[in-house]
Amino acid sequence: TGSMSSECLGNLLRITLSAEYFEDKYLTFSAVDRFGTAWEIDEAMSSQCGYTITYNYWGNAEFRASALSCHSQAEKNAFTVTIQIKASHTPDMKNAATHLKTATCHHGPWSSRELVCEKNYMEVSVRKEVPQIVPDFIQDELEDWALAFPEAKAGDSSIWQIVFHQPEKKKALLVSDAWHAGYGLNTTESRILLRIPYSAAQIQLVKAQGITFSVVRSSTFYKQRWMILMVDTAVACPIDGVDYANKTITWTVPKYVQPLSTGATGFKDVLIEAGVDLHKLSAEEMVSRKYLLSNDLDSITIKIPIGAEGGYYKTSVSSGQHGTKYYISLFLEHQWEDTKWGLTKHTIIKEIETPFEHVELTMTNNTNLSTRLMNVTLGVFLPDVELVSLTFEGTTVTVLEAIQHGYQTRENRYANGSQTYTIQVPFDAESIKKEYTRDDFRTYTLNVTLDFIIHPTRETFTIPVTTVSAIKDAVLPNARGFCDEKNLCLTIAHGNVHQKWLLFISNQHLTPEAAQKHGYSLSDNGTHLAICAPFLSPHVDYEDIHSSGIMASLHLTLKDGITLAKRRDFSISCRFSPSQLMQCLPNGTVVITAVKLVGIADVDISQLTLRDRQCKPTLVTEKTATFKFNVNTCGTSRKFNSTTMTYENDVLYFRPGSDMPVYQLKCICWYAIKQTVDVQYESKKNPAPSIKPGFGSLALSLKLFKDKAFSNPYKESEYPVVKYLGEALYFEVELLQSEDVRLELNLKGCWATNSQSSASHPQWSIFRNGCENSEDSYRTIFHEVNFSPRVKFPQHLKRFEVTLFNFIQSTTLLQE
């Protein structure tokens, strides 16, 4: 059939199974004997019976059979082989299709001795005729068959036996025992055959001219009552002798090897032929292929350039690296005559594989910016390579599945059989990494790993592909702002730069939690982010104050989520009415909130005063100071006219030693004269106000500082602290974990003991009910706490100074 073909190659038959038909199928081979029985061929049987199964470069399965194979039917100068092939899509061979192939080959006359070195076995066949007695024959050298004569005499009659000669001893086996040991023995009408697998126990490794041979020295005999027929069945096959240098394969085979030449003289070469893939080559063909066959006195040498016609390159992988090996199947036939055997034919089949050679692949970037399509071509590959899957973002998909992710793959084949693969993917595919770099540019990065398989060995390897393209297509986030009576607002359009940028306000990451804490409105609908901050917010900057109003600004920054480098700045500035800073209550109380201006950075907001410098702020934050006073106090002036009464005061800041204010905020309240106000009043007897005690936990800290600046506390590693009598100790008590400006910390009492127990005696009060101990000769000094970068809420801290003392009783020191 078209799926199978046969070819006669001397004493070998080759049947080839087409890869086109049998590809991706599981195969079994069976030899059919003359009775029609099929014997399945496994690895052991193939080397014992003279069968070889291989796969060539194109994926075709090859079956080779020796003319003297176990199940061949021999005729004069011809042999017939029938094989059965089963092919299935599953390894259990269910629903297998069965194919029969019969082929007959004719061959030339047999030589007296024929030696075959196949891929998986060694074979020797010898003519078994009984020679005539030569009158002047004299044996002048002891031969292996003569050494086997004692075993032959002692053996049973009418049974074939074999004697193996080894350096230490000789071992005789019946044919049945040798068969069970894996040897193949057979006889025809004219020949005796011995076939030996390379794994046989009786094999010896012998060196000849530095070349290693696999050797079996044996004698086969048949005994009858009146005679013994003994045959020398020694065989030797080279297992190395191949050298690779200067891009050339050199195969050297010594001519006459012990024990093939034992007892023989008068060697004469009759024929030396070589070929490729079991086909003999003429001298002209060798020259055209740049092969060199040389016949020296003791050896035969074949030289072949690596990559020459007749061989082929195959993809290979070593340590994950892509490369190639060059393969060529050589054979050598050497015929010689000698005085012992007459004509000997030695056929050697040698499959040569060169060492791994790394092959660098070329990646060509043909990205088309106008069509926004990334296009990468990778190669060049040999025809035995197939792209099977792609891996990106940790996910592996087949070539077909990759289409759903935007990846199109194309195989490009060339006239010489090589191929490349092209990968196309749109810039907007989800797996393409997009990153804003500079100006209006974005970089698009393709990171994909291509997974390949090599046929027919099914080896795998991967090639990572990375390509970067820069396009001027970035639409950066932009903002528009507006203000209402009480808020500053910014709306930021995201653009197409989908970076992990973080929103910062005054160097603080503005999370939804932080926005909620400060009373900001923060929302994001996927395309726009909107934020509104009240006019009196801790992150609003105040630039100037005029009669027309207060200029306030809100600044936002987008930072890189990894490096925190600034990417975009946005701001909105608006002028607000001064009434936002002042409340004139009907009862004559005035509440003024003074703001810190960015242009006067060195102003200590806690040191602001009214005209009466004794009037200090009642509440201080980082940027504001709040005053609450009556119009009749703090130096407030008053003016009258026919309709209104006007009260004026100023919030001032003086630098130390100067009477010229560097900060002045004028505050004016107008009250209408003779204004009638209707007030609805209902008298109720309300209960007297009272304070209900409550219970809870407050976190406090007590620290000891090194000086009255209260800036450098003692660290834990510096304790115990050494001080002398009369020196000052500086203590600070702080209310922790609270930002409630309505809370104020008050200390009721503090006392000292001469032990770690606060209830031990004696005791000495440092202060009582928040006041100094009047009985103390060194009274406790309380220090004022002002707003500073470290102190956000001065009302949450108390500081006091204590002079070091000891406890004494009469004149005796109680404890150091």
Side-chain angles (χ1 to χ4, degrees), residues 153-219:
K153 289 196 299 180
D156 296 333
S157 299
S158 304
I159 296 178
W160 283 101
Q161 298 186 53
I162 182 169
V163 177
F164 293 100
H165 305 269
Q166 292 183 298
E168 302 83 5
K169 59 181 179 179
K170 297 185 291 293
K171 183 176 182 179
L173 292 176
L174 296 176
V175 170
S176 59
D177 295 331
W179 184 266
H180 287 107
Y183 298 94
L185 292 97
N186 199 5
T187 62
T188 66
E189 292 180 358
S190 61
R191 304 190 73 76
I192 297 173
L193 167 79
L194 173 64
R195 190 176 294 111
I196 306 159
Y198 285 105
S199 59
Q202 311 302 327
I203 283 182
Q204 303 172 47
L205 298 180
V206 175
K207 289 278 189 181
Q209 301 178 34
I211 308 300
T212 304
F213 278 77
S214 179
V215 172
V216 171
R217 298 165 53 210
S218 63
S219 301

Side-chain angles (χ1 to χ4, degrees), residues 325-475:
K325 292 182 180 180
Y326 177 74
Y327 295 80
I328 190 167
S329 179
L330 298 178
F331 88 96
L332 174 67
E333 183 178 298
H334 178 207
Q335 297 185 33
W336 74 86
E337 290 181 339
D338 57 47
T339 56
K340 176 180 177 181
W341 289 100
L343 182 63
T344 295
K345 182 166 74 170
H346 196 181
T347 302
I348 305 170
I349 300 172
K350 187 71 172 177
E351 295 189 354
I352 293 176
E353 169 188 317
T354 62
F356 173 84
E357 182 177 359
H358 174 66
V359 175
E360 195 71 41
L361 295 170
T362 301
M363 187 178 72
T364 306
N365 187 355
N366 296 313
T367 296
N368 190 328
L369 301 184
S370 61
T371 60
R372 296 181 63 80
L373 194 66
M374 304 194 87
N375 185 309
V376 179
T377 298
L378 185 67
V380 176
F381 297 101
L382 294 176
D384 57 353
V385 169
E386 180 188 1
L387 175 64
V388 292
S389 60
L390 298 84
T391 301
F392 45 84
E393 294 187 318
T395 302
T396 299
V397 297
T398 65
V399 171
L400 289 177
E401 292 170 340
I403 297 175
Q404 302 174 10
H405 298 269
Y407 286 78
Q408 298 284 345
T409 60
R410 185 177 71 246
E411 181 183 296
N412 312 300
R413 288 196 173 271
Y414 303 99
N416 62 358
S418 63
Q419 59 185 345
T420 59
Y421 282 94
T422 298
I423 312 297
Q424 291 183 335
V425 58
F427 282 2
D428 298 324
E430 289 185 5
S431 59
I432 300 298
K433 181 183 177 183
K434 307 164 188 69
E435 185 176 13
Y436 170 72
T437 51
R438 56 184 175 82
D439 300 331
D440 295 331
F441 281 88
R442 284 195 297 173
T443 58
Y444 294 79
T445 303
L446 168 66
N447 273 314
V448 61
T449 299
L450 306 183
D451 307 314
F452 296 91
I453 190 171
I454 303 171
H455 297 290
T457 61
R458 305 195 71 81
E459 282 185 283
T460 60
F461 66 95
T462 60
I463 301 294
V465 173
T466 300
T467 181
V468 179
S469 298
I471 303 180
K472 192 175 183 179
D473 68 346
V475 178

Side-chain angles (χ1 to χ4, degrees), residues 1-5 15-25 27 56 58-62:
T1 64
S3 59
M4 291 186 286
S5 61
I15 297 175
T16 302
L17 279 62
S18 168
E20 184 177 355
Y21 181 82
F22 290 99
E23 187 177 18
D24 297 328
K25 293 179 181 177
L27 303 177
N56 65 17
W58 297 273
N60 301 324
E62 288 189 2

Side-chain angles (χ1 to χ4, degrees), residues 38 94 107 301 314 328 510 550 730 769 802:
K94 286 185 177 179
H107 57 80
T301 301
K314 183 126 183 44
I328 190 167
L510 187 60
I550 304 135
Y730 301 95
N769 297 318
V802 178

Side-chain angles (χ1 to χ4, degrees), residues 2 19 30 130 355 375 413 496 601 681 777 800:
S30 299
V130 179
N375 185 309
R413 288 196 173 271
N496 64 4
Y681 173 75
S777 55
F800 56 91

